Amino acid sequence: MTIKQRQWQLYYLGYYGGGIDGIWGAQSKAAAVRFQKEHALDADGIFGPLTIAKSMEIIKTIQKEITDGKIAIDGLAGQETKDATAQWQRENGLTPDGIAGAETRSKMLQLPAPEGDDWWSGIQYFSRKEFACKCGRYCNGYPAQMQRGIVELADRARGELKGAGFVSSGLRCSRHNANVGGVSDSRHLTGKAVDLRIEGKSARQTLAWAQRQPEVRYAYAIDTSFVHMDIE
Ligand SMILES: [Zn+2]
Ligand SMILES: [Zn+2]
């Protein structure tokens, strides 16, 4: 990767405000350090292979989100990606500067619920993001929509069992599902399943609760704390 491209990566992600001049000076180095610190990389200010890979991974995720078939999903920041980002920002009520900084990135990851999904505001203990596909590379996190019934079930489990709730798996894209050994018709693919742990409760206790809920189609203990539950 050329120095100019490295500067583009940092500039596009909101870490670098200097010129794209191909000179790795103090400003470039400081920007690289900031990026590395925020992403648990060795903060050496050298934009080496691991840092390059991380920046490309993040930019790919963004490109998948903003592409309308016109930009390459290559993980490389450039004018086209910047323009497409500005367009996305315009459509999502952000300042269209084309820079995928922290605000833009966080908005992308917690995409506003599509219309007709305002029931999410009635969910007390979970956010939409907690149910996103956790593959981190094959999809944008939302290969499908979570179904209201299963999210309300998880919310009720959290309320009635009185412990913090942790979702280890909600939505899954098909590649992630295959990677984690899910069956090919898993209800995680269609937003009708959740793998949930309630703090302070064993899987047996959570499972017993799940089995008393009328809408549960199938539930089982995954290990000593997590329980899979799904609905029709
Ligand atoms: Zn996925
Ligand atoms: Zn499951």
Side-chain angles (χ1 to χ4, degrees), residues 65 88 91-92 106-123 126-129 131 142 144-148 151 171:
E65 187 54 51
W88 188 93
E91 288 163 4
N92 288 277
S106 81
K107 181 137 187 180
M108 270 179 191
L109 296 174
Q110 326 173 38
L111 295 171
E115 240 161 322
D117 276 7
D118 47 357
W119 53 265
W120 275 99
S121 61
I123 300 298
F126 295 98
S127 68
R128 188 165 176 262
K129 202 174 147 189
F131 295 87
Y142 302 95
Q145 299 302 327
M146 283 303 288
Q147 299 299 301
R148 180 178 185 166
V151 177
L171 291 168

Side-chain angles (χ1 to χ4, degrees), residues 125-126 157-166 197-201:
Y125 301 110
F126 295 98
R158 164 70 182 80
E160 292 183 11
L161 294 170
K162 302 189 187 355
F166 299 94
R197 171 168 84 84
I198 301 291
E199 191 159 52
K201 298 288 179 244

Side-chain angles (χ1 to χ4, degrees), residues 198-215:
I198 301 291
E199 191 159 52
K201 298 288 179 244
S202 66
R204 252 185 52 202
Q205 290 171 304
T206 305
L207 179 60
W209 178 89
Q211 286 168 340
R212 287 197 302 272
Q213 310 309 309
E215 73 267 47

